[in-house]
Amino acid sequence: MKNKIFSGFFWKFNEQISSQIVTFILSIVLARILTPKDYGIVALINVFITLADVFVTSGFGSALIQKRDADDVDFSTMFYISEIFSIVIYLILFFIAPYISIFYNNADLTLIIRVLALKLPLSAFNAIQQAYVSKKMLFKKIFISTTVSSIISGLVGIIIAYLGFGVWALVVQYILNTIIISIALFVQLDWHPQLKFSWSSGKPLLDYGWKIVATSFMGNFFNQLRTLLLGKMYTPAELAFYNRGQKFPDLVSQNIDGTISTVLFPAISEFNDDLQKVKKMIRRSLRVSTFIIMPIMFGMAATSKPIILMLLTDKWIDSVPYMQYLCIAGAFGTISNTNMQAISAIGRSDVLLKLEIIKKPIYLILLLIGLKISVLAIAYTMLIYTICSTLLNMSPNKKLLDYKFKEQFADIVPALSLSLVMFLIVDSLTLLKLPITVVFVTQIIVGVVTYILLAIVFKLEAWNYLLNTLLKR
């Protein structure tokens, strides 16, 4: 299992990082061609597409991964259920699209919503394929397909943008990316949907999965509510600055934290009847993930201005403060995700749902406070919410896994402390009266050297573990 986990991390990370690098580079090109208004329109529409996507991608795949002996009947059954859900939800979006356009006073949104939502049935199919990949730890198989899809869809998007089609460049890019990934996985995997359906097989999977769906929907709904209210109360350009500032911390979250979560969930599920083993795996994961993610997030917060200016030009300079706050918030996200993966893997989807019900009133109060003040205040209140949410997500494992707060803080504080010291040093270098590229390179070098030296001096267990593991490999 240790070899499978390491292989899973390696291939999943390479898949994530390669596709994200390609997408990131292409998005920079698109950002230079398209306007903040174009991105703002797509951000508004994605509120509804993302919420709809939850119903077809979140719970069904997780249920298949969590079930230790899931077979072809289980996968085929969940495939048909997922597809039915996706078609129903598409039809709902199709008919409410004109009302969404009226809400935003933009008649062009109707057609865009109806076209972009066509990706839902493909996403449903792809979610089951992804579950099979995760269940069998076959992450190598999706490495090439994801990278190729990112390149092709991105290049097509750039061509369409150059031809002057504006926001449609982003729409085509998103849909084409989903199509290519689905086809590539279908060709590579030895599992395909069969004419098999069993309600007795699907019922326990749905019982677990609907709680995951409800949990994911609540989380996504309130996240998208932020975008929806921002789009209503402020201009599309201001919304675009917020979303662009969020893109950079999201890159780290998706590539590193997302990789850890994706591989950790099926790995823990293999031992979900041995809680001591699960606790041991979670502690190791928390130490390593915070050691890696926290310095990156704090480092990005300190270098946000050079990053924005060099990559996106000064027309996006207003994104800098958003990026800073959201990077710091993202540093704490890995703590929440690790705890939630453990809860999910041992079959307690009911606990995840209860956590969301507790957390979301706090989220709503902070969001409304931020909206009353400014767009930047929302980024600040989201940082406060992330810290509150992290503490709440840590609490169930005190009882479920006997993983006490004291132990969790002992696993988290070393990386957090070193990251804060590194942040203060790197941030002070912005005072240098040098070209922006020189300042950025200096910040990167000083930040990396400082963090590693501190890890060696204080003999961080996570550093020694990573170093020894890499040397052995």
Side-chain angles (χ1 to χ4, degrees):
M1 178 54 68
K2 186 175 182 180
N3 289 333
K4 284 185 178 181
I5 293 174
F6 185 87
S7 176
F9 279 135
F10 178 81
W11 287 111
K12 184 62 182 177
F13 179 75
N14 275 281
E15 177 243 319
Q16 289 278 85
I17 198 68
S18 61
S19 64
Q20 289 295 330
I21 287 174
V22 171
T23 303
F24 180 61
I25 293 172
L26 294 171
S27 71
I28 291 173
V29 177
L30 284 172
R32 290 172 175 266
I33 302 171
L34 301 175
T35 66
K37 182 181 178 181
D38 292 326
Y39 277 92
I41 290 173
V42 173
L44 291 176
I45 295 172
N46 267 331
V47 170
F48 304 95
I49 302 300
T50 301
L51 289 176
D53 212 41
V54 169
F55 288 96
V56 298
T57 61
S58 59
F60 304 128
S62 297
L64 290 167
I65 297 170
Q66 197 274 333
K67 185 178 180 180
R68 296 183 65 182
D69 57 349
D71 55 20
D72 286 346
V73 176
D74 295 317
F75 276 90
S76 293
T77 298
M78 297 311 288
F79 163 74
Y80 291 116
I81 293 174
S82 182
E83 284 299 324
I84 291 171
F85 265 84
S86 69
I87 293 170
V88 171
I89 292 169
Y90 173 77
L91 291 174
I92 293 172
L93 279 176
F94 184 91
F95 288 112
I96 69 170
Y99 301 101
I100 296 173
S101 298
I102 293 171
F103 180 78
Y104 285 116
N105 298 315
N106 189 335
D108 295 334
L109 296 183
T110 298
L111 182 59
I112 297 173
I113 292 170
R114 288 173 171 175
V115 173
L116 190 56
L118 288 171
K119 71 190 285 288
L120 291 175
L122 280 172
S123 296
F125 177 37
N126 196 33
I128 304 301
Q129 292 190 124
Q130 293 278 5
Y132 186 83
V133 167
S134 298
K135 184 74 176 177
K136 304 296 182 182
M137 306 286 277
L138 302 174
F139 297 103
K140 184 177 180 180
K141 290 186 178 294
I142 61 174
F143 170 66
I144 295 176
S145 60
T146 304
T147 305
V148 170
S149 67
S150 299
I151 294 173
I152 295 175
S153 63
L155 289 175
V156 171
I158 289 173
I159 292 171
I160 294 174
Y162 265 118
L163 292 175
F165 286 93
V167 70
W168 285 103
L170 297 172
V171 174
V172 171
Q173 180 191 4
Y174 292 157
I175 293 177
L176 189 59
N177 186 58
T178 305
I179 292 173
I180 295 173
I181 290 177
S182 299
I183 294 173
L185 282 177
F186 183 84
V187 171
Q188 291 185 82
L189 296 181
D190 56 8
W191 174 83
H192 300 118
Q194 301 175 23
L195 294 175
K196 296 178 179 179
F197 186 90
S198 170
W199 180 247
S200 61
S201 172
K203 189 175 184 300
L205 292 170
L206 284 173
D207 185 55
Y208 172 90
W210 80 263
K211 301 183 187 88
I212 297 294
V213 170
T215 301
S216 299
F217 180 79
M218 288 181 66
N220 279 281
F221 174 79
F222 281 93
N223 284 337
Q224 298 307 318
L225 179 65
R226 178 182 64 225
T227 302
L228 188 149
L229 293 176
L230 272 171
K232 184 65 177 176
M233 297 179 64
Y234 296 93
T235 66
E238 288 174 305
L239 172 61
F241 290 132
Y242 184 102
N243 285 343
R244 181 53 54 181
Q246 193 173 27
K247 285 290 183 183
F248 292 93
D250 279 354
L251 274 175
V252 176
S253 176
Q254 292 169 10
N255 291 324
I256 301 178
D257 201 20
T259 296
I260 293 171
S261 297
T262 302
V263 178
L264 191 64
F265 178 46
I268 296 174
S269 296
E270 288 291 314
F271 304 99
N272 56 24
D273 57 347
D274 185 350
L275 297 184
Q276 284 300 314
K277 179 72 173 178
V278 171
K279 178 183 176 180
K280 183 178 179 181
M281 294 175 72
I282 289 299
R283 293 200 71 173
R284 173 69 68 194
S285 175
L286 195 57
R287 290 171 189 161
V288 172
S289 62
T290 53
F291 180 82
I292 295 172
I293 292 173
M294 282 190 168
I296 295 176
M297 287 297 194
F298 278 97
M300 286 178 63
T303 59
S304 56
K305 185 176 180 179
I307 290 174
I308 294 293
L309 290 176
M310 289 189 302
L311 297 180
L312 302 179
T313 73
D314 58 358
K315 74 177 181 179
W316 291 94
I317 191 66
D318 289 343
S319 298
V320 172
Y322 303 110
M323 180 176 169
Q324 291 173 330
Y325 284 125
L326 296 171
C327 278
I328 296 173
F332 294 94
T334 187
I335 304 169
S336 288
N337 289 337
T338 302
N339 275 279
M340 292 175 74
Q341 290 302 320
I343 297 169
S344 183
I346 62 176
R348 296 304 304 270
S349 56
D350 58 315
V351 174
L352 295 180
L353 182 56
K354 290 176 183 175
L355 281 172
E356 286 302 310
I357 294 172
I358 294 171
K359 290 185 296 185
K360 287 319 174 221
I362 301 173
Y363 180 98
L364 187 59
I365 292 170
L366 289 171
L367 175 61
L368 293 175
I369 292 173
L371 283 168
K372 286 288 185 179
I373 302 172
S374 68
V375 181
L376 183 58
I378 296 173
Y380 183 71
T381 56
M382 289 304 99
L383 170 58
I384 296 173
Y385 170 74
T386 300
I387 295 173
C388 295
S389 177
T390 298
L391 294 172
L392 287 169
N393 288 334
M394 291 166 62
S395 60
N397 283 326
K398 292 190 298 179
K399 181 178 180 181
L400 296 175
L401 300 176
D402 194 32
Y403 191 10
K404 299 178 176 62
F405 271 129
K406 182 179 180 181
E407 293 176 301
Q408 294 202 48
F409 284 124
D411 294 334
I412 297 164
V413 168
L416 177 59
S417 301
L418 268 58
S419 298
L420 285 170
V421 173
M422 181 269 295
F423 169 80
L424 294 173
I425 295 172
V426 171
D427 188 55
S428 67
L429 296 176
T430 56
L431 300 175
L432 295 174
K433 302 297 182 180
L434 296 171
I436 197 71
T437 52
V438 176
V439 173
F440 178 68
V441 172
T442 303
Q443 287 179 307
I444 295 297
I445 295 173
V446 171
V448 172
V449 171
T450 299
Y451 189 74
I452 292 177
L453 284 177
L454 288 172
I456 294 172
V457 170
F458 289 99
K459 300 178 180 179
L460 259 65
E461 191 271 345
W463 163 254
N464 292 328
Y465 174 80
L466 281 172
L467 186 61
N468 291 333
T469 301
L470 291 173
L471 290 174
K472 287 178 182 178
R473 298 292 169 182

